[in-house]
Amino acid sequence: MEGCVARYGGRNREARRRVEKELEMISNLGFTAYFLIVWDILRYANERGFYHVGRGSGANSIVAYCLRITDVDPIKLDLYFERFLNPNRASPPDFDIDFSWQDRDAIFEYIFMRHGRKHVALLGMYNTFQRRAIVRELGKVFGLPKEEIDRLAMQAEWTPEDKIQGWIKKYGELLINFPTNLSIHAGGVLISENPIHAYAVTERPPKGFVTAHIDMFEADRIGLFKFDILSQRGLGHIKDALDLVAKHRGKHIDIHAVEKFLEDPLLAEKIRKADTIGCFYIESPAMRQLLGKLKCSDYLTLVAASSIIRPGVAQSGMMKQYIERYHDPDKVVYLHPKMRELLEETYGVMVYQEDVIKVAHHFGGISLDEADILRRAMSGKYRSENKFGQLRDKFFANCRAFGYEEKVIAEVWRQMESFGGYSFAKGHSASFAVESYQSLYLKTYYPVEFYVAVINNFGGFYRTEFYFHELRRHGGNIQLPCLNHSDYLTAICGDEVYVGFIHMQGLEDQLAKQIVEERHRGGPYLSLEDVLQRLRPAPEQLNLLIRIGALRFTGLDKKTLLWEANFKSKRIATKVTVSLFGEETEPHFTLPSFEENRLEDLKDELDILGFVVGDFFELLEERHLAGSITVRDLPDYLGQQIKIIGRFVTLKETRTIKRERMCFGTFLDVEGNWLDTVHFPPVYRQYPFLGTGFYEILGTVIEDFGVYSVEVYSMHKLGYKFGTNK
């Protein structure tokens, strides 16, 4: 009960009652050991300074909240424990525990050591034959040419043109869902009282951890405990940002003080403006647009947004319906007063799996554990293993007994069945939203440390170059790689951020690490000669370092350095004796003064880094900007045709109802602001994307719930000033 007192205080009777109820069920169902094992894993993680997030249906448990397995308050969010664990649940429960990608292997190693290597194994997973793989494999067996195999594999449906194609179609139908090979589950770990090999064959794959030849469904049937130990880069962002803040600012942040973050007006403003680039789960173009349309500024709305952003929800029209009702709740028409009572928080829309459970229980009179079985059946899980038909009949019988109209009963059931197929667990969404707030707090108050952490974890929705862009927008003074300041990864040095050697394309890893190690051992590099003597770099490697400006501490321009490096590196390579007194025996020569060229420097950055650390629009000829507007101007041009110049960021392709390809584009304008575009099928066919770079976009400004974008009717790629078109 200590955790309950720490979370809720000593006088919260509701919390204490629920803890006691859950403990009784956990004990009766034999899952006490399961909770204790999870708690022990997280105790070890905390001792090692590993940051974690507990999510999934386990977030519905107040015991998990009190044990600090999760940071989601199930009472505040009205989460049902029965969604996680109930007497009628056929399969064991499981927690999803996320760790930083850097820490997960250490957690695996601890679990194997703590419980014994004979009693622990990674969970296997069977890959199965699907249509394309079948066509390719059988095509090889029957000796078809590669071109014919490729053509057949790309066709969703095809009629055999000859006897061999007929055999492929005939035998292919027999192979559908047939296992092809064993692989490793994304994060499942099995722990058993008896040795694992009593239940399954095991092997030791290249990863080094014993793996069982069974999948999650077989493990469920056997009754083995499965623990999902997952990794994500978002936690790496948070952990590294906390370390950087402690190192450079001397501040130690309690990142689990979530309640404080939820009440912070600056964070609310960031979410309202969808200024969320780099933040876990809320940085994609679609999510930022949704946040903008909702004018989201609070935790519960963010939890809902984390659920309705899912593809099935958007395609069903439920997302649009939710946004409309969110902005005008007085116009919401509820099917029944009871439905208003149950779904007022979500404006009559079943956003979460818990909503299906809630309606089945309170509206249909089904017990909570039976309601969870119904929910699982509606989502397509274990329908053949439960009493779906009886529960449906019971729901209708109870509703008739309550006196509901027949058409109301039928419509409520229809909504439950349609939403149950793709709705999200509320606890899952709430866990994601907590992590989003933690990321947003660091971005808001420590933007330089946050973006350096994002860059160094190489994970996010966008390419790394765009996080450098956001770092610069948020006050980061970015410097090109330097032998005397840069580390292997991007590093903060005083008020400046030095790009890490890892971003230099073509620079060997061994040399990059040697530069840093030698500097720590022997002090700063003093001159070109010092670099040559201490590092002995290959000429092409040295040229890369000079071209990116890593030897600018010498005070010499790049062209002079290239001349001298070429001469002196050859002399050092052939020199066999060393003067005892360090006498200078090298000949002197005088080079002409070389003119510096900004465009050449930018081209070097683009060639070596793949991006420029300053303003990317320096690469664009200014004449292209004539007559164009910026993202800030869009509201003034609503409904009008405009021209805007954008630097391409990303695109998302989709299909219309008629199965035609269209896409949504994302660009940066000349001021560095984010632009969203819509490309309908005719335009997408006529004006395709041609890789990274600048595009001249002609289109009409459109608006949806206060979010502005451009419906494109023509688009042309523009070259760089120096004539390349990368």
Side-chain angles (χ1 to χ4, degrees):
M1 288 294 179
E2 292 177 11
C4 181
V5 173
R7 288 290 201 182
Y8 293 101
R11 298 183 178 181
N12 192 319
R13 292 183 179 178
E14 182 185 2
R16 190 177 186 87
R17 179 193 60 78
R18 179 157 171 176
V19 167
E20 291 172 350
K21 174 191 170 185
E22 287 191 16
L23 286 174
E24 182 180 3
M25 187 179 295
I26 291 166
S27 177
N28 290 341
L29 295 177
F31 290 114
T32 303
Y34 183 87
F35 274 78
L36 291 176
I37 289 171
V38 174
W39 176 84
D40 178 68
I41 292 169
L42 297 182
R43 175 199 57 76
Y44 172 77
N46 291 331
E47 288 177 358
R48 291 288 305 273
F50 297 165
Y51 179 53
H52 80 277
V53 165
R55 58 179 176 86
S57 60
N60 290 43
S61 167
I62 194 171
V63 171
Y65 181 59
C66 292
L67 289 174
R68 296 193 180 274
I69 295 172
T70 72
D71 277 321
V72 173
D73 183 348
I75 293 179
K76 181 178 180 179
L77 292 175
D78 192 25
L79 301 179
Y80 294 102
F81 179 63
E82 288 76 7
R83 165 67 181 85
F84 173 59
L85 186 63
N86 64 71
N88 289 320
R89 178 164 177 164
S91 59
D94 58 60
F95 285 106
D96 294 338
I97 309 295
D98 287 335
F99 291 94
S100 165
W101 62 281
Q102 300 162 317
D103 302 332
R104 187 173 70 149
D105 281 356
I107 295 295
F108 280 156
E109 184 60 41
Y110 173 74
I111 295 172
F112 276 83
M113 179 195 71
R114 179 75 171 83
H115 299 282
R117 297 186 182 276
K118 291 184 178 180
H119 298 267
V120 183
L122 299 186
L123 181 64
M125 183 176 70
Y126 294 112
N127 292 328
T128 58
F129 273 117
Q130 298 303 317
R131 189 189 61 80
R132 286 187 181 179
I134 289 170
V135 170
R136 292 192 181 281
E137 293 304 315
L138 289 180
K140 295 174 192 173
V141 169
F142 289 113
L144 290 184
K146 182 179 183 302
E147 295 74 17
E148 186 175 350
I149 293 174
D150 290 342
R151 177 171 59 81
L152 293 176
M154 293 304 294
Q155 295 175 5
E157 295 291 338
W158 49 277
T159 303
E161 299 171 357
D162 54 36
K163 183 171 62 176
I164 291 179
Q165 288 190 11
W167 289 341
I168 291 174
K169 200 167 185 70
K170 174 185 175 181
Y171 294 117
E173 290 172 355
L174 300 176
L175 285 173
I176 286 285
N177 293 325
F178 198 85
T180 59
N181 64 283
L182 182 80
S183 63
I184 301 176
H185 186 274
V189 180
L190 299 175
I191 302 177
S192 67
E193 189 171 352
N194 295 319
I196 287 288
H197 62 250
Y199 306 100
V201 174
T202 59
E203 67 171 356
R204 188 187 296 273
K207 192 173 180 68
F209 296 111
V210 171
T211 301
H213 280 218
I214 54 174
D215 62 15
M216 60 183 289
F217 301 106
E218 291 169 314
D220 278 353
R221 282 191 282 270
I222 294 170
L224 290 175
F225 283 177
K226 177 172 75 75
F227 301 81
D228 282 332
I229 309 297
L230 303 161
S231 71
Q232 51 151 290
R233 305 250 171 191
L235 293 180
H237 302 167
I238 292 173
K239 179 189 174 188
D240 287 359
L242 292 173
D243 290 343
L244 288 170
V245 170
K247 178 180 178 181
H248 295 283
R249 303 206 189 192
K251 294 183 179 180
H252 296 276
I253 300 165
D254 180 7
I255 201 64
H256 295 286
V258 177
E259 290 297 326
K260 181 180 75 172
F261 304 158
L262 303 185
E263 303 298 325
D264 192 317
L266 289 181
L267 272 62
E269 183 65 16
K270 287 275 188 187
I271 298 177
R272 188 181 299 112
K273 291 181 176 179
D275 183 7
T276 55
I277 300 296
C279 297
F280 174 76
Y281 203 69
I282 56 173
E283 65 166 333
S284 70
M287 191 63 173
R288 288 187 295 104
Q289 285 198 41
L290 176 58
L291 295 177
K293 291 174 183 178
L294 289 172
K295 300 294 184 288
C296 176
S297 60
D298 64 272
Y299 175 58
L300 290 179
T301 306
L302 185 61
V303 173
S306 298
S307 180
I308 64 175
I309 193 63
R310 300 186 77 211
V313 182
Q315 291 166 6
S316 71
M318 191 177 80
M319 180 193 291
K320 183 175 177 63
Q321 186 182 62
Y322 181 87
I323 297 170
E324 289 171 344
R325 293 181 175 195
Y326 176 85
H327 287 295
D328 200 353
D330 293 336
K331 290 186 178 179
V332 178
V333 178
Y334 294 90
L335 289 169
H336 187 275
K338 189 71 174 176
M339 295 294 284
R340 181 188 188 108
E341 178 185 325
L342 297 174
L343 298 176
E344 191 167 20
E345 177 191 326
T346 55
Y347 312 102
V349 177
M350 295 186 203
V351 172
Y352 312 108
Q353 292 173 358
E354 284 80 0
D355 291 334
V356 176
I357 296 173
K358 192 188 302 184
V359 171
H361 175 61
H362 293 288
F363 185 85
I366 293 176
S367 68
L368 283 172
D369 51 347
E370 288 179 323
D372 183 58
I373 293 173
L374 185 62
R375 187 272 312 167
R376 288 165 70 82
M378 286 177 169
S379 68
K381 293 183 179 178
Y382 310 110
R383 182 177 286 236
S384 62
E385 298 177 17
N386 59 42
K387 341 177 254 191
F388 179 75
Q390 292 132 343
L391 288 175
R392 182 187 183 282
D393 293 342
K394 185 175 182 179
F395 176 88
F396 275 84
N398 289 348
C399 288
R400 291 181 185 118
F402 295 150
Y404 303 148
E405 293 182 23
E406 199 66 30
K407 64 179 182 181
V408 171
I409 301 172
E411 177 58 20
V412 169
W413 179 264
R414 186 198 67 76
Q415 290 188 14
M416 286 171 59
E417 200 162 24
S418 63
F419 296 157
Y422 50 70
S423 55
F424 216 15
K426 190 175 184 180
H428 208 72
S429 294
S431 298
F432 277 1
V434 165
E435 189 175 341
S436 298
Y437 262 96
Q438 291 168 326
S439 296
L440 194 61
Y441 175 82
L442 293 168
K443 169 188 165 81
T444 302
Y445 290 98
Y446 307 98
V448 173
E449 290 84 356
F450 174 74
Y451 278 114
V452 169
V454 172
I455 288 165
N456 285 342
N457 277 274
F458 299 92
F461 188 87
Y462 306 98
R463 297 194 303 277
T464 302
E465 63 185 279
F466 297 107
Y467 297 114
F468 275 109
H469 166 80
E470 286 296 299
L471 171 59
R472 188 168 66 88
R473 285 185 75 201
H474 287 80
N477 183 8
I478 306 174
Q479 301 294 321
L480 289 166
C482 172
L483 292 188
N484 279 337
H485 295 96
S486 289
D487 290 335
Y488 182 69
L489 297 175
T490 297
I492 300 171
C493 186
D495 295 328
E496 297 173 321
V497 177
Y498 284 85
V499 177
F501 293 121
I502 193 173
H503 297 288
M504 292 182 60
Q505 299 170 21
L507 186 70
E508 295 173 357
D509 264 13
Q510 182 179 354
L511 177 59
K513 292 172 181 175
Q514 181 190 354
I515 291 168
V516 180
E517 291 167 2
E518 174 60 29
R519 187 180 72 225
H520 289 159
R521 187 189 65 80
Y525 299 100
L526 304 176
S527 63
L528 174 61
E529 292 80 359
D530 191 31
V531 171
L532 293 171
Q533 290 284 0
R534 292 164 66 181
L535 296 177
R536 301 294 178 103
E540 68 277 5
Q541 295 288 294
L542 181 59
N543 288 349
L544 278 176
L545 291 166
I546 292 172
R547 286 176 58 203
I548 204 62
L551 275 73
R552 57 188 179 276
F553 63 89
T554 62
L556 301 175
D557 64 83
K558 292 199 289 189
K559 291 177 182 175
T560 300
L561 279 169
L562 286 169
W563 274 96
E564 292 196 1
N566 182 61
F567 177 76
K568 293 179 179 179
S569 60
K570 288 179 181 177
R571 288 186 61 82
I572 286 180
T574 57
K575 185 181 275 189
V576 293
T577 60
V578 178
S579 171
L580 180 64
F581 302 103
E583 295 174 359
E584 179 61 64
T585 59
E586 294 183 0
H588 292 279
F589 53 88
T590 302
L591 292 172
S593 296
F594 294 105
E595 190 175 319
E596 294 188 14
N597 187 309
R598 175 60 178 161
L599 273 182
E600 287 182 4
D601 292 342
L602 291 173
K603 188 175 187 304
D604 282 339
E605 291 181 36
L606 204 58
D607 288 343
I608 298 172
L609 298 177
F611 58 91
V612 300
V613 299
D615 182 4
F616 199 86
F617 273 79
E618 281 190 79
L619 295 169
L620 181 70
E621 293 185 24
E622 290 186 14
R623 61 185 176 85
H624 292 302
L625 295 171
S628 66
I629 68 169
T630 64
V631 170
R632 285 192 298 122
D633 301 324
L634 292 181
D636 299 331
Y637 289 87
L638 180 61
Q640 299 181 43
Q641 294 184 349
I642 56 95
K643 167 188 167 183
I644 190 166
I645 306 299
R647 172 192 177 190
F648 175 66
V649 177
T650 188
L651 66 85
K652 180 184 179 182
E653 190 174 282
T654 186
R655 289 187 182 270
T656 65
I657 296 175
K658 296 180 180 179
R659 305 301 299 161
E660 293 181 296
R661 293 168 62 226
M662 64 168 290
C663 81
F664 300 95
T666 304
F667 297 84
L668 293 172
D669 76 354
V670 68
E671 295 179 345
N673 294 316
W674 296 73
L675 166 70
D676 296 305
T677 58
V678 183
H679 306 248
F680 286 111
V683 173
Y684 191 36
R685 283 193 297 269
Q686 187 174 357
Y687 303 103
F689 286 85
L690 301 173
T692 60
F694 298 109
Y695 287 83
E696 179 184 86
I697 300 165
L698 302 178
T700 303
V701 179
I702 57 176
E703 177 265 343
D704 191 23
F705 295 103
V707 174
Y708 293 86
S709 55
V710 175
E711 182 184 320
V712 178
Y713 62 76
S714 118
M715 182 176 73
H716 302 279
K717 188 169 185 185
L718 305 174
Y720 298 141
K721 279 182 181 177
F722 43 76
T724 64
N725 206 22
K726 290 184 69 172

